[in-house]
Amino acid sequence: MDLLTLADTIQYREHSIASRSFGRKLGIALPFVAYALDAGESISHEQSTLTRLIQVVAGTLTVVTDVATTVHTGQLLVVPANTLHELRAVERCKFIQMETK
């Protein structure tokens, strides 16, 4: 068994996006990645053939599809498969992204 404090698994980098994959460490086949976005950073034009689960563990994340959705600490957003989306950090934000069938 592994016990992780998700907010502590990745650190902010000034004016950058940091990411860390945990799939291999946890022995799981599906993508499981922690991200730390500095304020003002974004990841655009994301899309997956799998459903994405985005869990914010610190700060606030804005996810833009045809509408903008604000996701706060402790909230989980489900992004359906094949949905084009953008991730924006208005303030510093840490989140995990899991993909599932």
Side-chain angles (χ1 to χ4, degrees), residues 1 3 33 40-41 45 47 58 66 70 75 84 94 99 101:
M1 290 195 310
L3 179 62
V33 181
E41 296 298 325
H45 305 295
Q47 189 172 354
D66 51 339
T70 302
Q75 292 184 316
L84 186 63
K94 291 182 181 181
E99 296 187 42
K101 296 179 181 184

Tab-separated table of all heavy atoms in Angstrom, residues 1 3 33 40-41 45 47 58 66 70 75 84 94 99 101:
chain	number	residue	atom	x	y	z
A	1	MET	N	0.850	-1.184	0.000
A	1	MET	CA	0.000	0.000	0.000
A	1	MET	C	0.885	1.232	0.000
A	1	MET	O	1.967	1.230	0.565
A	1	MET	CB	-0.897	0.016	1.235
A	1	MET	CG	-1.966	-1.038	1.187
A	1	MET	SD	-3.326	-0.828	2.364
A	1	MET	CE	-2.520	-0.569	3.891
A	3	LEU	N	0.617	5.516	0.711
A	3	LEU	CA	-0.164	6.633	1.236
A	3	LEU	C	0.487	7.911	0.735
A	3	LEU	O	1.681	8.141	0.972
A	3	LEU	CB	-0.188	6.608	2.766
A	3	LEU	CG	-0.959	7.730	3.448
A	3	LEU	CD1	-2.435	7.682	3.073
A	3	LEU	CD2	-0.783	7.647	4.948
A	33	VAL	N	-1.461	11.786	-13.011
A	33	VAL	CA	-0.419	12.807	-13.021
A	33	VAL	C	-0.786	13.931	-12.070
A	33	VAL	O	-1.943	14.375	-12.028
A	33	VAL	CB	-0.227	13.385	-14.450
A	33	VAL	CG1	0.881	14.426	-14.477
A	33	VAL	CG2	0.064	12.272	-15.448
A	40	GLY	N	-1.312	32.328	-13.612
A	40	GLY	CA	-1.230	32.797	-14.985
A	40	GLY	C	-0.852	31.740	-16.008
A	40	GLY	O	-0.916	31.985	-17.207
A	41	GLU	N	-0.480	30.556	-15.565
A	41	GLU	CA	-0.097	29.484	-16.490
A	41	GLU	C	-1.339	28.750	-16.999
A	41	GLU	O	-2.383	28.723	-16.337
A	41	GLU	CB	0.844	28.498	-15.808
A	41	GLU	CG	2.169	29.085	-15.400
A	41	GLU	CD	2.996	29.593	-16.567
A	41	GLU	OE1	2.948	28.991	-17.667
A	41	GLU	OE2	3.680	30.612	-16.393
A	45	HIS	N	-5.685	23.295	-25.375
A	45	HIS	CA	-6.005	22.307	-26.415
A	45	HIS	C	-5.733	20.875	-25.966
A	45	HIS	O	-5.122	20.094	-26.676
A	45	HIS	CB	-5.274	22.628	-27.717
A	45	HIS	CG	-5.544	24.004	-28.210
A	45	HIS	ND1	-6.785	24.406	-28.627
A	45	HIS	CD2	-4.748	25.084	-28.312
A	45	HIS	CE1	-6.739	25.675	-28.984
A	45	HIS	NE2	-5.512	26.114	-28.805
A	47	GLN	N	-7.034	17.100	-25.005
A	47	GLN	CA	-8.119	16.192	-25.386
A	47	GLN	C	-7.623	14.773	-25.195
A	47	GLN	O	-6.445	14.494	-25.410
A	47	GLN	CB	-8.515	16.432	-26.837
A	47	GLN	CG	-9.745	15.700	-27.267
A	47	GLN	CD	-10.206	16.137	-28.659
A	47	GLN	OE1	-9.658	17.056	-29.242
A	47	GLN	NE2	-11.205	15.469	-29.185
A	58	ALA	N	-5.152	22.049	-4.239
A	58	ALA	CA	-4.766	23.343	-3.668
A	58	ALA	C	-5.073	24.428	-4.691
A	58	ALA	O	-4.798	24.262	-5.878
A	58	ALA	CB	-3.286	23.362	-3.313
A	66	ASP	N	-16.725	24.610	-23.899
A	66	ASP	CA	-17.562	25.635	-24.510
A	66	ASP	C	-17.995	26.668	-23.464
A	66	ASP	O	-18.469	27.740	-23.795
A	66	ASP	CB	-18.767	25.027	-25.222
A	66	ASP	CG	-19.544	24.071	-24.347
A	66	ASP	OD1	-18.996	23.564	-23.353
A	66	ASP	OD2	-20.726	23.815	-24.652
A	70	THR	N	-15.131	26.732	-12.856
A	70	THR	CA	-14.141	26.944	-11.807
A	70	THR	C	-14.181	25.762	-10.848
A	70	THR	O	-15.246	25.390	-10.355
A	70	THR	CB	-14.424	28.254	-11.054
A	70	THR	OG1	-14.421	29.326	-12.004
A	70	THR	CG2	-13.373	28.517	-10.001
A	75	GLN	N	-12.635	19.808	-4.910
A	75	GLN	CA	-13.639	19.454	-5.910
A	75	GLN	C	-13.035	18.600	-7.016
A	75	GLN	O	-11.847	18.697	-7.323
A	75	GLN	CB	-14.262	20.712	-6.518
A	75	GLN	CG	-15.114	21.486	-5.531
A	75	GLN	CD	-15.789	22.676	-6.171
A	75	GLN	OE1	-15.182	23.422	-6.931
A	75	GLN	NE2	-17.069	22.856	-5.861
A	84	LEU	N	-12.465	18.704	-26.055
A	84	LEU	CA	-11.367	19.659	-26.132
A	84	LEU	C	-11.506	20.633	-24.962
A	84	LEU	O	-12.589	21.176	-24.725
A	84	LEU	CB	-11.414	20.413	-27.466
A	84	LEU	CG	-10.256	21.354	-27.752
A	84	LEU	CD1	-8.934	20.578	-27.845
A	84	LEU	CD2	-10.515	22.120	-29.042
A	94	LYS	N	-2.698	23.361	-7.601
A	94	LYS	CA	-2.203	21.995	-7.703
A	94	LYS	C	-3.403	21.085	-7.944
A	94	LYS	O	-4.444	21.239	-7.298
A	94	LYS	CB	-1.495	21.552	-6.421
A	94	LYS	CG	-0.186	22.261	-6.170
A	94	LYS	CD	0.475	21.726	-4.906
A	94	LYS	CE	1.770	22.442	-4.620
A	94	LYS	NZ	2.409	21.905	-3.399
A	99	GLU	N	-7.069	9.391	-15.716
A	99	GLU	CA	-7.854	9.043	-16.895
A	99	GLU	C	-8.411	7.637	-16.715
A	99	GLU	O	-7.766	6.763	-16.154
A	99	GLU	CB	-6.996	9.132	-18.148
A	99	GLU	CG	-6.527	10.557	-18.417
A	99	GLU	CD	-5.813	10.716	-19.732
A	99	GLU	OE1	-6.264	10.130	-20.730
A	99	GLU	OE2	-4.822	11.450	-19.762
A	101	LYS	N	-11.545	4.685	-18.413
A	101	LYS	CA	-12.403	4.288	-19.542
A	101	LYS	C	-13.845	4.545	-19.239
A	101	LYS	O	-14.277	4.686	-18.169
A	101	LYS	CB	-12.186	2.816	-19.879
A	101	LYS	CG	-10.778	2.575	-20.355
A	101	LYS	CD	-10.567	1.119	-20.665
A	101	LYS	CE	-9.119	0.927	-21.121
A	101	LYS	NZ	-8.829	-0.400	-21.538
